[in-house]
Amino acid sequence: MKYDRFVDLVVIGGGPAGLSTAISAKKNGIDDILLLERELCLGGILNQCIHDGFGLHLFKENLTGPEYAQKQIDELKTLNISYLTDAMVINLTKSKELEFIHRTGHKLIKAKAVILAMGCRERTRFNIQIPGTRPSGIYTAGTAQNLVNLQNIKIGKNILILGSGDIGLIMARRLTLEGMNIAGVYEIMSYTAGLERNIQQCLNDYSIPLFLSSTVTEIFGKGRIEGVNIGKVDKDLKPITHSERFVKCDTLLLSVGLIPENELSKKAGVKITDFTGGAVVDSELQTNIEGIFSCGNVLQIHDLADYASLEAKRAGYFAARYIKSKQKRYNRYKINFCEKIKYASPNYIVENKEAIIVSFRIKKPAKNVVLIVKDRENNILVKKKFIRLLPSELIQIKLEREVKSDIYLEIE
Amino acid sequence: MCKNPYDVIIIGAGVVGCACGRELSKYKLNVAVLEKNTDVSEGISKGNSGVVHAGFYVPYGTLKARTNVEGFFAIPKLAAELNFPYKKIGKLVISNDKYGLTELKRLKEAGDKNGCIGLEIITEKQISHIEPKVKAKYALFSKETAIISPYLFTIALVENALKNGVDFFLNHEVIKIWKDKEFFVQTKKDTFHSKWLINAAGLYSDKISCLAGDKNHKIFPCRGEYLVTDKDNEKIINRMIYPIPPKDGASLGVHITPTTDGNILIGPSAEFINNYGLENTKQFLNEMKEDAFKMVPELKRLPIIRTYSGIRPKLIYAKTKKDFRDFVIEESKTVPKLINIIGIESPGLAAAPAIANLVLNIIGNKENLNKNEQFDAYDPKKPDFQSLSVEEKKELIKKNPDFGEIICRCETITKGELLNAINNPLGVKTLDGIKRRCRAGMGRCQGGFCTPRTIKILRKEYGIKEKDILKNENNSNLFFGKIKE
Amino acid sequence: MKKKIVCTLCPIGCELEVEIQEGKVVSVEGSLCERGVKYAKDEIENPTRCISSSIPVRGGKRYETVSVKTSSAIPKDKIFDVMNKIKKIQLKAPIKLGDIIIKNVLNLNVDIAATRNIEKDKSK
């Protein structure tokens, strides 16, 4: 194979994770970096997130999405990290060869390490198989956000939102402010999927009704959507018979979950876990393929861009260390968790001297619980009390002590 | 350019109407195709399995058998001329019991008699050799059964017919027909007249026949739902996997069909309905998944990315296989020079070229047909970026940088391909029309990412206003205009 | 009057029970820290919010709109008045992040500021 270029590190994706990981790798001594972004601008999804609430952890200030992105872009440019926008990676191999295309041509490059930071996509009505007709006027919340915020397009007049994910809540407020009516937000679970702050500031502030344990059971309309059936569900999420009622709307917005975009990772043989849809990684965020790292929403769905950036920062550090040392990978220990926990990431621990960060998500809301992290000998590594734990919150804990066996996360 | 009066008017731009249009364009005839929808292939022709049946499901001596087998042999040649996706991947009809084996043998006999080629009964060992993920004791292996993209097939026929002088009128719903020596056909927009009238109106062909004065036909709509999986990159299956056809004769049973793009279709159901509604129902979506997973359990691993449905134009409310009804392809017994093409359900897609030939013969028996010397049978292949070699990709981007810009990330569709689709010769600018022509929006995110980019191009580069952009049919407007003027 | 609100300052999300008399907070229960008490007081007595929107821009490179925000929080009951002011504006590229689009909107001592750089499209 004839390569167009050799690079130490390629970062795939220029959103909050990709920018952060590139900056971190550079600061940790890697000069030869190429960041590839498939959209026309750097910043990823931040560009369309014009609301505030970003940056409180990373920059210690309250920023909007574009401002947050600009800070990262400025730093990327100050550090002279090379990047290319409108560049789509169409193939990636185990040996870290990348094929990408751009208006200037088709390029084949070989990298010493690759960091995956491609983000995620939204679940569609077909993924959750909502029955009914297939009219126009059905958008995922993020697509609607792009059309409304970046293209000034009026997507509807009377809009019903299914799912209480954060983007859905943010869009409920956005569309209300821009003069559209929200017919209601419907959530199949008995609790909300979005952050408490968004429930208050996006729904309660504008008296937008929220209906829990309710879902769209059928879509009606020929041409344009004319309404939906809303059905109540029981605690096992089974529809309650005769609970259906028709609700009129001319637009349906879906905020029903995000899926890490790992199609490219799979091409390189990266193992994906069903728990998160993200890569199986060790505590250095390295995948099963040596030299391929994963971070941000392509690894696991984060609640805040800040958390994605912070995780990416660590991936950049470890990738830099890998490139410099070419160190062999040490024995790894497994991270196990109890059935109250939905998933924990990373999946493995590399024999370590430094602190390890483990993030996890709980399956159901819980109050006054204790998280205990034990090793194989039942030594308690971490014990932490939580007044309230919600599935919508990704919890991160730090293991300061050296780990020398498999560990187990338990909620009591 | 309107060549009113026409020699032939064809009502309906489905695969049959378009095949007729293209066939007639080989002769010196003025032909018009009238279509009520905003695009061609909007009815039965888009909502099916996309299979070129070999011809073993249909009874010997029927029009269904004759046109199926003839069409089966004609389609590869057409695919070579018109460059639409065609793949001869083969099919297994599987069974696990002795009754099934008898049925398989019966199908093979029928096929052999009809003139099918490449049929063989195989057993467990051979089955697991060619399809390791399929567990079955017996199978009828049809090596020659092929898949095509039904709408790209139709579109290819249209574009070639257009090139050879056929006029297409979209958004022309026929509301009145009368005859005064010649036919007068009034649509919602205009009136046309012609010597011959071909009724290829699919689901509505009974109504069109009625408008033209022949009240002897009735269609019973029978809906079939489908699920579409994400791309089968690991090749869980390589061939079509079918069950023994159910006894009611309404369908071939829920089957598993790879598409020319690499996805897998699961379906269809069979449900007689009293309207033309294309809904998906929870009941059938769930039942079909169960049926398919019984045949190939590993399919469970593939995410569902889309559901759709189509409608069969049945001529009888079928209860048993004995209630067989053949295709109607004939000059009306009561209205001369009205050619009715009615009840074209499966294997209609495969049969379309042969049906067009029959129609040509009916006209040829009464008219002196002169060859169109300028007829050009070929349409060049449009660049399909993903299928190119690295060298070809480099070359294409060098020639036109638009092929270096990806619009649809899921399907790897470039701006060059998108623009080719938008610039289609029929002038269709609906989002679905563009999607079908280039696959942008057909992938796992279902247009979540590429819709905003496509919309921006339609607005900025084609000057189409937000409120005028349609998804597919009229009234399917995507937007209400701008937020801030 | 008693009112229940959830403190949103940190992920713990204390459920606060607030006693209100004549629009003023008399007592706050359920807060784990002092910040919760202030949060409740602000939320009840003088709720404020930052808002954002986007404004059409002519002649911009890659962008057709510029995102904007209030430079600091505005009283909650003024949100729609401020939105109405924002709705009337049309802009031309270039625009720099931080540019003041409306100075001292509605005399609230708050500006509407751009949150994105918009370069001028030189191809046109």
Side-chain angles (χ1 to χ4, degrees):
Chain A
M1 274 290 202
K2 256 177 121 182
Y3 300 111
D4 293 289
R5 203 180 147 184
F6 289 87
V7 190
D8 280 353
L9 174 65
V10 172
V11 175
I12 308 176
L19 291 168
S20 167
T21 208
I23 290 166
S24 161
K26 175 90 184 190
K27 285 179 171 173
N28 284 291
I30 304 301
D31 283 324
D32 186 17
I33 301 174
L34 176 62
L35 181 146
L36 298 170
E37 164 57 42
R38 57 188 159 198
E39 287 297 321
L40 295 166
C41 302
L42 289 174
I45 215 72
L46 290 167
N47 284 321
Q48 64 186 54
C49 298
I50 64 169
H51 54 282
D52 67 343
F54 295 89
L56 293 164
H57 301 267
L58 193 66
F59 299 112
K60 311 289 175 215
E61 41 176 326
N62 186 10
L63 302 168
T64 64
E67 292 171 311
Y68 181 105
Q70 196 57 50
K71 271 187 182 288
Q72 290 188 311
I73 295 166
D74 288 346
E75 192 170 5
L76 187 90
K77 289 182 178 169
T78 313
L79 291 170
N80 269 323
I81 298 170
S82 57
Y83 67 90
L84 201 58
T85 56
D86 199 14
M88 175 84 184
V89 180
I90 55 174
N91 201 16
L92 173 66
T93 69
K94 242 183 236 189
S95 40
K96 296 172 284 283
E97 297 153 318
L98 289 101
E99 233 182 283
F100 76 87
I101 65 162
H102 183 258
R103 292 184 71 88
T104 55
H106 174 286
K107 301 278 155 59
L108 187 65
I109 48 180
K110 171 126 176 121
K112 285 181 188 158
V114 173
I115 304 179
L116 307 170
M118 291 90 77
C120 57
R121 65 171 176 270
E122 296 176 282
R123 198 163 270 146
T124 69
R125 73 164 281 201
F126 297 110
N127 292 141
I128 58 172
Q129 284 157 51
I130 306 175
T133 56
R134 297 171 300 284
S136 72
I138 302 171
Y139 300 98
T140 53
T143 302
Q145 191 176 43
N146 181 307
L147 293 165
V148 167
N149 290 347
L150 300 181
Q151 296 197 50
N152 185 29
I153 290 175
K154 189 167 185 178
I155 56 159
K157 288 180 177 167
N158 184 30
I159 300 156
L160 189 135
I161 300 179
L162 176 63
S164 59
D166 285 310
I167 322 168
L169 301 177
I170 296 285
M171 282 310 290
R173 173 176 64 185
R174 177 90 256 114
L175 297 168
T176 305
L177 287 175
E178 301 297 352
M180 291 164 251
N181 180 57
I182 304 297
V185 175
Y186 294 82
E187 168 61 53
I188 191 167
M189 307 303 277
S190 55
Y191 47 86
T192 56
L195 299 173
E196 190 60 45
R197 182 178 69 189
N198 288 333
I199 300 292
Q200 291 221 16
Q201 299 195 355
C202 298
L203 301 187
N204 299 352
D205 275 6
Y206 302 94
S207 311
I208 295 167
L210 170 68
F211 303 89
L212 297 172
S213 302
S214 304
T215 191
V216 172
T217 55
E218 189 166 357
I219 292 169
F220 298 96
K222 198 174 154 11
R224 179 93 187 180
I225 183 171
E226 287 156 19
V228 298
N229 264 355
I230 297 286
K232 300 280 280 176
V233 299
D234 63 19
K235 61 180 191 309
D236 302 316
L237 307 185
K238 293 240 165 65
I240 298 170
T241 37
H242 307 304
S243 70
E244 286 186 331
R245 66 188 167 97
F246 178 78
V247 180
K248 229 176 134 174
C249 64
D250 58 38
T251 306
L252 173 63
L253 236 60
L254 298 169
S255 178
V256 291
L258 301 168
I259 307 170
E261 278 232 300
N262 272 305
E263 280 64 33
L264 189 65
S265 326
K266 285 182 200 161
K267 284 189 184 173
V270 169
K271 247 202 222 151
I272 305 297
T273 146
D274 285 342
F275 286 110
T276 57
V280 172
V281 291
D282 61 31
S283 49
E284 298 186 346
L285 301 170
Q286 188 160 202
T287 66
N288 61 309
I289 307 293
E290 193 177 318
I292 298 186
F293 297 77
S294 178
C295 60
N297 276 356
V298 79
L299 176 60
Q300 57 176 337
I301 302 303
H302 295 261
D303 326 332
L304 299 174
D306 290 64
Y307 293 156
S309 294
L310 288 167
E311 182 177 83
K313 194 173 161 185
R314 292 173 43 239
Y317 166 78
F318 290 120
R321 207 174 66 176
Y322 167 81
I323 293 166
K324 284 188 286 184
S325 67
K326 277 268 167 200
Q327 62 171 169
K328 241 179 86 190
R329 307 180 70 175
Y330 302 111
N331 286 339
R332 304 193 296 184
Y333 308 120
K334 211 166 177 266
I335 299 183
N336 299 305
F337 47 88
C338 72
E339 83 287 345
K340 284 182 185 158
I341 291 174
K342 195 175 167 203
Y343 68 80
S345 180
N347 310 73
Y348 294 98
I349 294 174
V350 180
E351 200 175 305
N352 61 96
K353 294 275 183 272
E354 28 199 308
I356 292 163
I357 292 176
V358 179
S359 36
F360 73 93
R361 224 177 253 280
I362 196 160
K363 275 185 191 158
K364 283 181 181 167
K367 277 186 177 177
N368 296 317
V369 290
V370 182
L371 169 81
I372 299 168
V373 184
K374 292 180 197 163
D375 66 10
R376 210 160 42 192
E377 272 74 49
N378 272 333
N379 298 315
I380 292 175
L381 305 175
V382 172
K383 191 169 181 178
K384 200 173 174 187
K385 267 178 117 175
F386 291 90
I387 292 168
R388 200 170 66 139
L389 274 182
L390 293 174
S392 59
E393 284 162 15
L394 187 69
I395 312 295
Q396 301 203 333
I397 47 165
K398 216 174 192 178
L399 307 180
E400 306 276 3
R401 277 169 54 186
E402 193 178 334
V403 176
K404 287 180 181 160
S405 78
D406 287 0
I407 61 164
Y408 186 71
L409 272 63
E410 203 173 44
I411 299 276
E412 277 180 357
Chain B
M1 184 181 53
C2 189
K3 286 168 269 184
N4 230 343
Y6 286 95
D7 296 312
V8 183
I9 285 177
I10 300 167
I11 300 176
V15 66
V16 170
C18 295
C20 289
R22 197 236 181 200
E23 195 58 37
L24 294 175
S25 72
K26 292 176 181 169
Y27 298 86
K28 283 186 180 153
L29 290 167
N30 283 337
V31 181
V33 181
L34 308 180
E35 168 57 48
K36 76 184 176 80
N37 288 305
T38 56
D39 196 358
V40 300
S41 194
E42 276 284 349
I44 307 162
S45 309
K46 81 175 174 203
N48 55 66
S49 304
V51 175
V52 182
H53 288 289
F56 53 80
Y57 285 114
V58 277
Y60 175 72
T62 61
L63 270 177
K64 276 187 179 172
R66 182 181 150 194
T67 53
N68 181 354
V69 175
E70 247 183 71
F72 166 83
F73 287 108
I75 286 178
K77 187 172 160 270
L78 277 171
E81 288 172 352
L82 303 177
N83 279 300
F84 56 85
Y86 167 90
K87 286 181 184 164
K88 196 184 277 183
I89 60 169
K91 176 199 280 194
L92 292 180
V93 185
I94 60 169
S95 169
N96 272 311
D97 53 38
K98 285 278 182 239
Y99 159 78
L101 181 61
T102 322
E103 281 297 292
L104 294 178
K105 285 180 177 161
R106 204 188 53 75
L107 286 175
K108 182 178 181 308
E109 266 171 43
D112 289 342
K113 209 168 162 191
N114 287 341
C116 291
I117 52 170
L119 300 181
E120 193 186 334
I121 302 278
I122 58 173
T123 52
E124 209 163 354
K125 214 173 142 190
Q126 292 156 293
I127 296 168
S128 64
H129 181 68
I130 58 170
E131 288 291 349
K133 302 290 158 54
V134 178
K135 296 273 166 283
K137 284 209 173 90
Y138 314 103
L140 171 62
F141 181 20
S142 167
K143 291 169 203 145
E144 302 284 324
T145 306
I147 50 172
I148 55 174
S149 159
Y151 38 85
L152 287 180
F153 176 33
T154 310
I155 289 166
L157 290 167
V158 170
E159 296 191 352
N160 189 251
L162 262 175
K163 190 164 145 185
N164 289 303
V166 175
D167 291 340
F168 280 81
F169 297 89
L170 299 174
N171 299 306
H172 275 265
E173 182 176 346
V174 172
I175 48 174
K176 202 173 167 188
I177 300 169
W178 66 97
K179 206 176 170 191
D180 176 12
K181 281 184 198 157
E182 292 201 340
F183 287 99
F184 287 80
V185 181
Q186 191 188 336
T187 72
K188 281 186 173 171
K189 289 186 169 174
D190 212 339
T191 302
F192 300 80
H193 50 120
S194 67
K195 279 187 240 168
W196 287 84
L197 184 62
I198 300 177
N199 170 16
L203 267 186
Y204 306 91
S205 53
D206 55 345
K207 300 202 166 47
I208 292 295
S209 175
C210 202
L211 281 181
D214 179 348
K215 299 193 168 92
N216 295 317
H217 304 280
K218 166 123 186 78
I219 280 172
F220 301 88
C222 179
R223 181 165 61 206
E225 300 185 38
Y226 286 88
L227 300 125
V228 187
T229 73
D230 202 345
K231 297 256 161 93
D232 177 19
N233 291 327
E234 300 161 44
K235 299 269 173 234
I236 296 172
I237 56 161
N238 300 290
R239 294 168 184 78
M240 295 165 244
I241 311 296
Y242 278 56
I244 301 280
K247 286 179 185 156
D248 64 10
S251 72
L252 302 180
V254 171
H255 45 260
I256 303 163
T257 317
T259 71
T260 51
D261 300 326
N263 306 79
I264 290 176
L265 307 177
I266 296 173
S269 53
E271 177 194 9
F272 282 93
I273 52 176
N274 46 25
N275 55 23
Y276 302 100
L278 285 167
E279 292 89 347
N280 282 118
T281 63
K282 194 163 196 114
Q283 182 201 340
F284 282 113
L285 292 179
N286 288 340
E287 283 179 18
M288 292 188 309
K289 276 190 285 184
E290 264 174 47
D291 288 351
F293 297 160
K294 261 183 230 155
M295 292 195 284
V296 186
E298 291 215 25
L299 278 185
K300 277 182 208 157
R301 287 195 289 134
L302 294 176
I304 301 298
I305 63 162
R306 174 91 191 174
T307 63
Y308 69 96
S309 60
I311 300 177
R312 306 171 184 86
K314 293 271 179 194
L315 289 175
I316 191 162
Y317 199 96
K319 294 275 191 325
T320 70
K321 271 185 203 167
K322 282 181 194 139
D323 298 326
F324 175 83
R325 291 291 290 268
D326 206 355
F327 288 160
V328 173
I329 309 162
E330 63 185 20
E331 185 174 352
S332 164
K333 293 177 183 88
T334 52
V335 184
K337 296 199 176 179
L338 164 68
I339 301 176
N340 271 324
I341 310 174
I342 302 178
I344 312 302
E345 53 168 326
S346 177
L349 186 66
I355 295 173
N357 223 347
L358 279 179
V359 168
L360 176 73
N361 289 341
I362 296 172
I363 297 176
N365 283 339
K366 288 198 179 171
E367 305 273 346
N368 273 328
L369 295 181
N370 296 310
K371 277 223 149 103
N372 170 6
E373 304 298 341
Q374 270 98 48
F375 178 76
D376 178 359
Y378 297 92
D379 264 319
K381 191 171 165 62
K382 293 190 192 82
D384 173 15
F385 188 80
Q386 215 183 359
S387 67
L388 301 179
S389 70
V390 169
E391 284 317 309
E392 288 168 324
K393 281 175 182 164
K394 280 183 194 285
E395 198 52 40
L396 189 59
I397 298 173
K398 211 170 169 184
K399 262 202 291 198
N400 182 354
D402 281 341
F403 285 94
E405 186 178 333
I406 297 283
I407 297 289
C408 167
R409 57 173 83 161
C410 303
E411 295 289 308
T412 322
I413 306 303
T414 61
K415 187 175 176 185
E417 291 161 282
L418 184 84
L419 294 182
N420 275 346
I422 300 175
N423 295 331
N424 66 80
L426 267 179
V428 175
K429 300 274 185 285
T430 63
L431 203 60
D432 280 2
I434 296 165
K435 173 175 89 173
R436 276 182 220 126
R437 283 166 176 80
C438 71
R439 298 207 313 277
M442 233 177 233
R444 52 189 74 87
C445 87
Q446 285 292 300
F449 287 113
C450 66
T451 299
R453 286 182 86 150
T454 306
I455 295 300
K456 195 166 176 176
I457 289 169
L458 287 174
R459 288 171 44 239
K460 299 291 238 186
E461 299 181 27
Y462 291 82
I464 304 176
K465 290 215 165 78
E466 294 79 1
K467 63 177 175 47
D468 296 330
I469 302 174
L470 297 177
K471 179 178 188 288
N472 41 37
E473 59 196 295
N474 290 312
N475 307 321
S476 68
N477 306 58
L478 285 167
F479 312 118
F480 289 84
K482 288 182 170 156
I483 294 173
K484 297 175 182 120
E485 282 304 324
Chain C
M1 189 184 80
K2 280 196 173 178
K3 201 179 167 184
K4 276 188 177 171
I5 60 171
V6 180
C7 174
T8 59
L9 291 178
C10 82
I12 293 174
C14 295
E15 285 174 27
L16 311 177
E17 203 172 276
V18 191
E19 172 89 47
I20 308 163
Q21 277 175 16
E22 290 164 15
K24 297 280 172 201
V25 173
V26 185
S27 73
V28 179
E29 270 171 50
S31 179
L32 281 177
C33 73
E34 272 309 298
R35 294 198 299 159
V37 178
K38 185 174 181 320
Y39 173 82
K41 243 178 120 56
D42 290 346
E43 264 306 281
I44 303 294
E45 294 176 8
N46 180 28
T48 61
R49 296 285 185 268
C50 284
I51 59 164
S52 52
S53 183
S54 60
I55 295 176
V57 175
R58 269 185 293 165
K61 187 177 166 188
R62 296 200 191 102
Y63 285 101
E64 300 174 67
T65 60
V66 63
S67 48
V68 297
K69 69 169 185 183
T70 51
S71 56
S72 57
I74 57 168
K76 212 169 118 181
D77 57 7
K78 295 284 185 229
I79 289 175
F80 283 95
D81 297 335
V82 172
M83 276 306 297
N84 280 332
K85 285 278 169 199
I86 293 173
K87 272 177 198 164
K88 292 191 178 111
I89 303 216
Q90 278 255 10
L91 295 166
K92 264 191 201 161
I95 296 164
K96 280 215 109 33
L97 192 156
D99 279 0
I100 305 297
I101 306 298
I102 307 175
K103 185 130 189 80
N104 190 14
V105 64
L106 296 172
N107 292 320
L108 293 169
N109 281 324
V110 170
D111 301 327
I112 302 298
T115 57
R116 192 198 308 283
N117 293 317
I118 309 283
E119 289 172 47
K120 205 169 163 174
D121 186 357
K122 287 178 187 127
S123 69
K124 279 173 193 162

